[in-house]
Amino acid sequence: MSLEKFMNEAISPWMRHDGPDSDIVLSSRIRLARNFSSEPFPTVAGGEPLQNVLSYMEENFTGQSFRDYEAFQLVKMDELEPIEKRVLVEKHLISPHLVEKGEHSATLISENEQVSIMVNEEDHIRIQLYFPGFQLDRALEQTSQLDDWLEEKVDYAFDEQRGYLTACPTNVGTGMRASVMMHLPALAMTQQINRMTPAINQLGLVVRGIYGEGSEAVGNLFQISNQITLGKSEEDIVEDLHSVVRQLIEQERKARQTLMSRSAVQLEDRIYRSYGVLRHSRIITSKEAAECLSDLRLGIDLGFIKDIPRTILNELMILTQPGFLQRYAGESLDANERDVKRATLIRERIHLEDEDL
Amino acid sequence: MQCQRCQQRPATVHLTQVVNGEKNEVHLCEQCAKEQGYMNYEEESFSLNDLLSGLFHMEGSNNSQVFKESKQAKSGLQCPTCGLTYQEFTRVGKFGCATCYETFDERLDPILRRVHSGNTRHHGKVPKRIGGDLGVRKDIEKHREKLHQLIQDEEFEEAANIRDEIKKLEEELNRGKGGES
């Protein structure tokens, strides 16, 4: 029905709004891992138990609504084309792991795309909820209510001592992964983020580059999340993460000020060069695009560039990835063709803004 | 740049390998990289499993004799519900079902402690429906801790309020039990 909608729009409806601190924090996410007590976990389960779980979820939740999260639609993995799956991954609505699982796996997506409930990923149920900007508390509160809503119909695997039982020992207890996606160009430029990472790890939190490999973050996007799920309450875990993110925001703002006072012209030059590349290039790799988009975002935040809204950067970041490019082109493209298509798409999108003025 | 392997397609995957301190750069096309096993789209592609199963095997490894014996004893464990053996569990690093947690219970503390910074017990949310009166009992526990703190701080007025709340919760708990029996 509206699968087309999930596919055609690069950014989900909730991304169109700015949240608190959204110059630095792109989104806040809470993910809960849950399992049926009655069936073996997807790690070992054969087709029948997995089908039981999927059918139960389909019967009880398809078309249902909970508060702002309306008309959950079940999207089955084995009914999607490879490019469609890739698009959902690029929109962060499903995980790459769910795609690999294939048969008997699905996801329930709310109309506003804020909630995605993955079925038969590593665990039977993975509830994830996004908020724009820095809104961890709100995300936790709402996810917990969604969890209660599911629990009215599902007997969860739970143990008084160990908490919510999950396939992987790294998720047991709360089953919760709270994460925040941050744009930290100034901390990355000044190499400070590398120095801060070990200290953050000490607190049981993890810093990851989003598109890059290892600690290198392409586009200066970092994900900060909790590592520990056992022994602390959900609220305490979120509070720890919250205070570290708050500090990172302040450090990033300070680093931006320092850069502005010491090398404003160099910074302005870098930003406008990147802007030029995005406006005029005919071939652009995903890495270069991500770097230039990061510079452009910084340029908007610092007030150098005024005629581009920040939200189109979120859109372009997703739109310029391989799955979307191919969806947009309506055919599969090799790496070279993608680089050409990517450049075209970025140029068109930026020129569109010019016309609006 | 062309792919080093097939010399045909453009290289889009660039890898830097460090083996024994020697740096080596590899430039491949997507297809060759896949064939060489370099492409792994999974989120935690450095294989958390390997890391975890490594942790499991560390257990008691300082004495090889003891290690051998305990390993034999452990490998005998098998989950009655899903059939997963302890050996398989340590290899894969994942449980097979809820019962596995009971089956391997006595082996779990050291593993969980390593993964969760020394923690082995859950201190978070309790499911409303199937959690039964556990939620209330946890509430009472939390209130008692608070009460203790308030008395220490000589905040007697607030302490009296908390004491009343505990009473109410206890009554609720007893009522629940009375209803069942």
Side-chain angles (χ1 to χ4, degrees):
Chain A
M1 186 185 68
S2 64
L3 181 64
E4 284 291 305
K5 187 192 70 127
F6 295 144
M7 295 296 163
N8 289 341
E9 298 278 310
I11 61 171
S12 304
W14 62 267
M15 287 173 157
R16 293 187 190 283
H17 307 285
D18 270 354
D21 298 300
S22 55
D23 54 332
I24 293 171
V25 180
L26 280 72
S27 63
S28 305
R29 182 191 76 150
I30 299 282
R31 184 272 278 157
L32 298 177
R34 300 289 186 252
N35 282 287
F36 282 57
S37 60
S38 56
E39 306 288 350
F41 300 157
T43 37
V44 300
E48 204 190 312
L50 293 181
Q51 189 53 48
N52 290 344
V53 169
L54 181 58
S55 303
Y56 191 84
M57 294 301 287
E58 183 170 12
E59 280 159 29
N60 284 285
F61 298 104
T62 306
Q64 297 291 308
S65 302
F66 179 74
R67 310 236 171 122
D68 295 343
Y69 314 112
E70 294 174 352
F72 277 99
Q73 192 194 339
L74 190 82
V75 180
K76 289 182 182 168
M77 286 308 111
D78 56 5
E79 289 172 6
L80 295 180
E81 298 294 324
I83 288 181
E84 292 175 323
K85 289 183 216 173
R86 196 146 182 185
V87 162
L88 293 181
V89 171
E90 288 168 5
K91 288 180 84 169
H92 301 286
L93 285 170
I94 60 172
S95 66
H97 191 67
L98 190 79
V99 173
E100 273 169 41
K101 282 272 169 187
E103 218 188 342
H104 310 297
S105 292
T107 186
L108 283 155
I109 306 177
S110 69
E111 184 84 19
N112 61 7
E113 298 176 31
Q114 230 177 320
V115 179
S116 163
I117 302 168
M118 289 187 272
V119 180
N120 292 331
E121 208 241 25
E122 185 183 278
D123 296 294
H124 292 141
I125 299 176
R126 290 266 174 114
I127 310 167
Q128 58 169 23
L129 180 116
Y130 285 96
F131 266 105
F134 189 26
Q135 305 193 63
L136 274 176
D137 294 337
R138 219 173 135 204
L140 174 62
E141 187 193 281
Q142 308 256 316
T143 314
S144 187
Q145 287 168 359
L146 268 163
D147 178 45
D148 294 341
W149 179 60
L150 291 182
E151 205 246 336
E152 285 172 14
K153 300 244 173 76
V154 181
D155 284 341
Y156 282 156
F158 180 83
D159 175 76
E160 186 173 344
Q161 277 206 37
R162 310 292 190 197
Y164 292 92
L165 305 179
T166 54
C168 189
T170 54
N171 291 317
V172 74
T174 59
M176 183 186 75
R177 194 81 59 210
S179 57
V180 169
M181 203 204 277
M182 305 184 81
H183 182 232
L184 303 172
L187 289 181
M189 259 182 241
T190 54
Q191 310 280 327
Q192 290 182 71
I193 190 75
N194 294 335
R195 278 190 282 120
M196 294 160 94
T197 307
I200 296 172
N201 291 343
Q202 294 261 306
L203 297 165
L205 304 174
V206 195
V207 183
R208 245 195 226 118
I210 296 206
Y211 296 112
E213 280 171 38
S215 61
E216 189 208 3
V218 177
N220 301 318
L221 292 174
F222 297 86
Q223 187 192 52
I224 327 287
S225 59
N226 64 303
Q227 177 85 309
I228 294 165
T229 58
L230 186 67
K232 283 199 222 169
S233 72
E234 288 81 353
E235 290 76 15
D236 287 349
I237 293 170
V238 163
E239 201 180 296
D240 287 352
L241 180 61
H242 195 280
S243 70
V244 166
V245 170
R246 176 59 52 214
Q247 283 178 50
L248 279 170
I249 293 173
E250 266 149 37
Q251 293 299 324
E252 170 68 21
R253 293 223 169 99
K254 235 184 252 170
R256 286 182 187 187
Q257 273 172 10
T258 313
L259 282 173
M260 280 297 277
S261 62
R262 288 201 193 139
S263 36
V265 183
Q266 284 86 343
L267 201 59
E268 189 176 358
D269 177 68
R270 176 179 168 150
I271 288 162
Y272 274 101
R273 277 171 186 274
S274 291
Y275 190 24
V277 168
L278 292 170
R279 278 190 90 101
H280 301 293
S281 71
R282 262 52 183 174
I283 300 171
I284 193 164
T285 63
S286 59
K287 187 168 180 244
E288 191 181 8
E291 285 163 357
C292 290
L293 286 169
S294 168
D295 287 340
L296 184 58
R297 179 185 284 271
L298 182 63
I300 295 167
D301 290 345
L302 295 176
F304 287 121
I305 291 166
K306 296 196 172 71
D307 48 358
I308 303 267
R310 210 188 281 135
T311 43
I312 85 155
L313 299 179
N314 300 344
E315 191 177 334
L316 283 175
M317 254 165 23
I318 297 170
L319 212 54
T320 52
Q321 290 185 59
F324 250 105
L325 281 176
Q326 296 176 69
R327 168 87 193 171
Y328 189 77
E331 57 184 332
S332 67
L333 304 169
D334 67 24
N336 277 335
E337 292 167 333
R338 286 204 297 265
D339 292 349
V340 174
K341 188 81 200 166
R342 184 177 295 115
T344 313
L345 215 146
I346 294 173
R347 285 202 319 273
E348 280 174 2
R349 191 67 190 82
I350 290 178
H351 286 234
L352 204 67
E353 287 309 315
D354 291 347
E355 284 162 21
D356 285 350
L357 285 177
Chain B
M1 188 186 293
Q2 266 189 353
C3 171
Q4 287 175 347
R5 192 160 165 267
C6 64
Q7 305 283 346
Q8 284 175 4
R9 290 175 289 266
T12 53
V13 179
H14 311 281
L15 292 149
T16 311
Q17 289 178 313
V18 180
V19 182
N20 294 331
E22 229 166 273
K23 206 170 149 184
N24 181 27
E25 285 189 10
V26 190
H27 306 281
L28 299 169
C29 68
E30 244 182 76
Q31 196 177 329
C32 289
K34 242 181 234 164
E35 282 167 18
Q36 299 275 295
Y38 286 124
M39 301 286 270
N40 194 344
Y41 282 118
E42 227 181 312
E43 198 178 344
E44 285 152 326
S45 53
F46 62 92
S47 183
L48 195 62
N49 292 355
D50 296 347
L51 211 71
L52 272 178
S53 50
L55 285 176
F56 299 159
H57 289 300
M58 266 167 57
E59 201 183 331
S61 59
N62 21 357
N63 185 325
S64 62
Q65 191 57 39
V66 172
F67 182 51
K68 258 185 209 160
E69 279 169 17
S70 71
K71 207 177 170 187
Q72 268 168 4
K74 273 179 218 166
S75 58
L77 279 176
Q78 187 174 18
C79 177
T81 304
C82 70
L84 191 80
T85 64
Y86 186 78
Q87 224 169 8
E88 282 169 317
F89 167 61
T90 56
R91 191 172 49 80
V92 184
K94 306 255 162 85
F95 295 102
C97 70
T99 322
C100 287
Y101 279 88
E102 288 167 40
T103 315
F104 308 133
D105 185 58
E106 50 180 313
R107 317 271 181 218
L108 289 186
D109 278 4
I111 296 166
L112 294 174
R113 226 175 266 136
R114 275 190 213 112
V115 180
H116 296 286
S117 298
N119 298 317
T120 59
R121 296 201 55 166
H122 178 55
H123 279 288
K125 188 175 174 178
V126 173
K128 282 208 172 96
R129 194 168 48 82
I130 64 151
D133 57 18
L134 183 60
V136 184
R137 277 189 281 139
K138 290 236 166 176
D139 258 7
I140 294 176
E141 220 174 279
K142 266 186 205 157
H143 276 79
R144 285 220 175 98
E145 279 168 29
K146 213 168 162 187
L147 180 66
H148 188 72
Q149 190 59 46
L150 286 169
I151 291 173
Q152 271 191 340
D153 297 345
E154 302 191 359
E155 305 256 4
F156 297 116
E157 211 168 308
E158 182 61 22
N161 288 336
I162 294 286
R163 192 198 52 208
D164 292 344
E165 274 178 46
I166 293 175
K167 254 188 200 153
K168 255 188 234 158
L169 286 169
E170 280 173 341
E171 274 166 24
E172 195 181 315
L173 200 63
N174 289 334
R175 237 195 339 270
K177 274 183 190 148
E180 270 167 36
S181 63

